[in-house]
Amino acid sequence: MTGLQCIEAAIRIDKNGQVPVVPQIFGHAAVLSGMPVDEYLTSGDALASCQLAALGRYGHHAVFSVMDVCVEAEAMGAKTVHHPNNYPCIEQYVSSEDAINSSRVPNPLKDGRMPEMLKAISIMRRETKEETLVVGCVMGPMTLAMQYVGVQEALFMAVEHPLLFEKLLDHVTDVIIEFGRAQIDAGAHLPIIFDPSSSPEVIPPQFFREIVLQRLKRISSAFKQGGAVANWLHIAGKTLPILPHYPDAGIDMANCDYCIEPAMVRRFLPGICLDGNIKPLSFVEDSSEDIYKESVRLVKSFAGQGGFVLSSGCEIPPESRPENIEAMVKAAKECHF
Amino acid sequence: MKQMQRLIDALLDGDRQQALDEARRLVSEGATPDSIVINAIEPAMNRLDAKCTVEQFNLLEIMLVGRCLTAVVNEIFPQGMTASLTKGCVVIATLEGDVHDIGKNITKMLLASKGYNVVDCGKDCSVQKLCDTAEAQKADAVFVSGLITSVIPNVKKIKEELETKGLGCIMVVAGGAALKQSTSDHLNVDFVAENAFEGLHYLESKIGARNN
């Protein structure tokens, strides 16, 4: 089986077959290739070449056209500051009501760094020859709203100006759908929906159910219609209170952060493929023996069940030790469901 | 206590206007600022603390309550909190390389509401500036928050820098999404807090032990 076939089987919850392994390698690919992170984050050619080099070294099963959490907000007009060897951040949010009301949906083919992400997707799809999952990335609605107007401002707006906040969420949902569909058109098998700000550690579960869920449904439905092979949702932290809503949101694959046990999540989500959940910092601080042992333990906890992708709980830190990622991939390749 | 209940309810509800109205009413009826802290703000903080168990902790609720607490403290202490209520000095920062300061701001608010003099060194702060400020302010503790793992090398330097200044007695507490994945030994700090309340509890236990 190819890596892509392994992942497709896991999404179907096939009970047999090889365990797919998808370390969430983003900026680490640049560090591994000795490229300045900012070059990686601004050039589709650079991003693709580093991702493909990492794929060549580790032999895992997915490549990511993921830059950072600022891409959409930047294309919408928020000002960013870039650093040579770190992720950029928003320097000036778009905060006035007028600015929000007049905000337009950016054109993924022209605005900000969106075209570079699309370019990376096209290159990687061509080069991986249907053997590897090519993953794009969109921010989820809560995360993009917060990236656009600021975390504090967005949360207070949700309470004090709920109509304006819902209007903002509808607008960012349009942005997400437009960008995600452009990624699918460019060759992504799916765009991962990255929404850490929807975590119950940030907003109450009722808020997720009443305000966020309907937007996630719109996004996942649009992605499926656009040709995504699956909808992959990434919400960090202790997500147990919101897991029961995932099937309703049209999610096929869900990330488990390091603080929740995937085997327990399976009881809440029997029909959804899970990925996780090695602690990201372990790839920096722990030994390859530790990573190998934890990987085997995780895979064994899904023995006979299928529907699991061995991964990190969140992004693998850029400064991670390569031998630790090799240990995770080795463990997955030696195990079967 | 009964006349304080409406202020406690308003604080826990995150209703800033109602909380300010209640604080003003209490002052007009003769309540002293100190009694409002002891009989309303502290009980509200304790209730919030108890509520913020692992499953129930969420940023939105904490921020709403925090904004109320700050507004009420500023209302009843327009010149700043009185020295008799100040339990100690904490210098707080998000370190160089990290600009995510929401966790730091929440911790600052909780510490200030509990009676600590909190000196905020802001975000993207160098270890040198943090330690110089701790020295100048005669701080009891240094709190640092980190959302990204790349700040870890800087966190590891804090104790060393404080010791160079002869200030090894200053507690160093770390927290935030990246730092809480690590251990106090790895980070070379005194304590790694799961959340802002845990950091506060650690500080209270150490300051309490020192004062007894």
Side-chain angles (χ1 to χ4, degrees), chain A residues 86 89 151-152 155-156 159-160 200-204 207 238 241 258 279-282 284-286 317-319, chain B residues 16 54-55 57-60 63-64 67 97 99 102 105 148-150 152 177-178 180-183 186-187 194:
Chain A
N86 210 338
C89 57
V151 175
Q152 195 162 296
L155 289 174
F156 287 148
V159 175
E160 286 167 355
E201 292 175 39
V202 180
I203 55 171
F207 189 102
K238 299 176 177 105
Y258 74 94
K279 187 194 279 190
L281 197 58
S282 294
V284 180
E285 291 188 343
D286 293 346
E319 67 274 25
Chain B
R16 181 170 52 171
V54 174
E55 279 72 29
F57 187 95
N58 74 75
L59 191 59
L60 176 57
M63 280 176 57
L64 287 170
R67 190 173 61 161
V99 294
I102 199 100
N105 293 342
I148 53 177
T149 56
S150 55
I152 287 176
K180 74 181 186 184
Q181 293 180 43
S182 192
T183 61
H186 262 110
L187 294 176
E194 174 70 20

Side-chain angles (χ1 to χ4, degrees), chain A residues 117-123 125 180-188:
Chain A
M117 271 183 67
L118 301 183
K119 188 180 190 183
I121 288 168
S122 300
I123 295 168
R125 181 68 183 259
R181 289 189 67 147
Q183 293 178 20
I184 297 163
D185 291 345

Side-chain angles (χ1 to χ4, degrees), chain B residues 54-185:
Chain B
V54 174
E55 279 72 29
Q56 292 177 313
F57 187 95
N58 74 75
L59 191 59
L60 176 57
E61 204 171 345
I62 301 279
M63 280 176 57
L64 287 170
V65 177
R67 190 173 61 161
C68 277
L69 285 166
T70 305
V72 169
V73 168
N74 289 340
E75 175 73 19
I76 62 177
F77 293 107
Q79 308 298 324
M81 203 171 267
T82 53
S84 64
L85 285 174
T86 302
K87 294 176 180 171
C89 176
V90 178
V91 175
I92 194 166
T94 301
L95 288 181
E96 202 163 12
D98 193 354
V99 294
H100 304 89
D101 61 355
I102 199 100
K104 169 185 73 67
N105 293 342
I106 286 171
T107 309
K108 174 185 170 183
M109 173 274 296
L110 288 180
L111 292 170
S113 303
K114 273 294 219 182
Y116 290 90
N117 170 29
V118 186
V119 179
D120 187 354
C121 288
K123 54 192 178 184
D124 208 13
C125 171
S126 68
V127 172
Q128 189 66 49
K129 180 182 169 192
L130 178 76
C131 295
D132 287 349
T133 307
E135 182 177 29
Q137 298 288 333
K138 298 185 170 51
D140 298 286
V142 162
F143 274 50
V144 288
S145 168
L147 189 74
I148 53 177
T149 56
S150 55
V151 298
I152 287 176
N154 283 331
V155 176
K156 289 178 174 174
K157 291 178 195 162
I158 298 171
K159 268 276 177 199
E160 207 174 288
E161 181 61 28
L162 287 171
E163 278 160 9
T164 305
K165 289 173 175 289
L167 300 171
C169 57
I170 294 180
M171 282 171 268
V172 180
V173 177
L179 303 186
K180 74 181 186 184
Q181 293 180 43
S182 192
T183 61
S184 52
D185 282 347

Side-chain angles (χ1 to χ4, degrees), chain A residues 222-241:
Chain A
F223 287 177
K224 273 282 172 71
Q225 283 171 16
V229 301
N231 281 307
W232 184 2
L233 180 63
H234 188 305
I235 298 180
K238 299 176 177 105
T239 49
L240 288 178

Side-chain angles (χ1 to χ4, degrees), chain A residues 7-328:
Chain A
I7 293 173
E8 287 172 338
I11 291 168
R12 290 193 303 269
I13 323 281
D14 280 0
K15 291 184 171 54
N16 299 303
Q18 192 191 325
V19 179
V21 56
V22 177
Q24 295 176 47
I25 294 172
F26 311 149
H28 173 74
V31 174
L32 193 69
S33 290
M35 179 178 287
V37 172
D38 195 46
E39 188 179 339
Y40 176 87
L41 299 175
T42 49
S43 158
D45 287 313
L47 191 153
S49 78
C50 292
Q51 281 286 323
L52 293 168
L55 182 71
R57 168 152 186 176
Y58 297 130
H60 51 293
H61 294 147
V63 286
F64 291 89
S65 180
V66 176
M67 286 181 168
D68 50 77
V69 296
C70 301
V71 173
E72 291 96 326
E74 186 183 68
M76 292 165 73
K79 287 189 180 156
T80 51
V81 55
H82 285 251
H83 308 280
N85 273 309
N86 210 338
Y87 291 119
C89 57
I90 306 285
E91 190 176 41
Q92 193 180 339
Y93 295 103
V94 175
S95 53
S96 77
E97 186 171 343
D98 283 349
I100 292 167
N101 282 326
S102 62
S103 180
R104 63 178 184 83
V105 174
N107 180 346
L109 302 174
K110 287 184 181 168
D111 290 326
R113 290 177 287 148
M114 287 177 164
E116 294 299 320
M117 271 183 67
L118 301 183
K119 188 180 190 183
I121 288 168
S122 300
I123 295 168
M124 293 193 292
R125 181 68 183 259
R126 187 183 68 229
E127 296 297 320
T128 54
K129 301 182 174 64
E130 294 306 309
E131 292 185 350
T132 303
L133 188 77
V134 177
V135 185
C137 179
V138 292
M139 294 303 108
M142 276 307 293
T143 302
L144 182 50
M146 289 185 185
Q147 285 296 113
Y148 189 48
V149 303
V151 175
Q152 195 162 296
E153 291 75 7
L155 289 174
F156 287 148
M157 188 194 295
V159 175
E160 286 167 355
H161 305 287
L163 293 179
L164 180 61
F165 184 71
E166 293 227 29
K167 190 172 178 182
L168 172 63
L169 277 188
D170 284 333
H171 177 58
V172 298
T173 300
D174 291 340
V175 173
I176 292 161
I177 289 172
E178 190 74 13
F179 190 30
R181 289 189 67 147
Q183 293 178 20
I184 297 163
D185 291 345
H189 290 104
L190 60 89
I192 187 169
I193 304 164
F194 186 70
D195 204 10
S197 299
S198 277
S199 169
E201 292 175 39
V202 180
I203 55 171
Q206 301 91 323
F207 189 102
F208 178 84
R209 185 190 66 219
E210 296 299 319
I211 308 290
V212 181
L213 185 59
Q214 56 186 291
R215 275 88 189 183
L216 279 176
K217 275 187 202 177
R218 264 187 68 206
I219 292 165
S220 57
S221 165
F223 287 177
K224 273 282 172 71
Q225 283 171 16
V229 301
N231 281 307
W232 184 2
L233 180 63
H234 188 305
I235 298 180
K238 299 176 177 105
T239 49
L240 288 178
I242 60 171
L243 292 175
H245 302 300
Y246 282 21
D248 196 24
I251 302 307
D252 307 293
M253 183 166 159
N255 181 76
C256 300
D257 207 344
Y258 74 94
C259 47
I260 51 174
E261 182 59 42
M264 183 168 69
V265 174
R266 169 48 47 88
R267 293 204 287 272
F268 286 85
L269 298 174
I272 288 182
C273 176
L274 304 175
D275 75 281
N277 77 331
I278 298 176
K279 187 194 279 190
L281 197 58
S282 294
F283 290 92
V284 180
E285 291 188 343
D286 293 346
S287 69
S288 51
E289 291 76 22
D290 295 329
I291 298 283
Y292 182 85
K293 258 192 238 170
E294 176 61 4
S295 301
V296 170
R297 185 193 72 77
L298 276 167
V299 170
K300 282 187 174 169
S301 72
F302 282 85
Q305 296 183 53
F308 178 66
V309 175
L310 181 61
S311 183
S312 40
C314 199
E315 179 193 0
I316 287 187
E319 67 274 25
S320 293
R321 298 164 58 199
E323 61 268 32
N324 284 354
I325 299 166
E326 286 165 352
M328 178 167 77

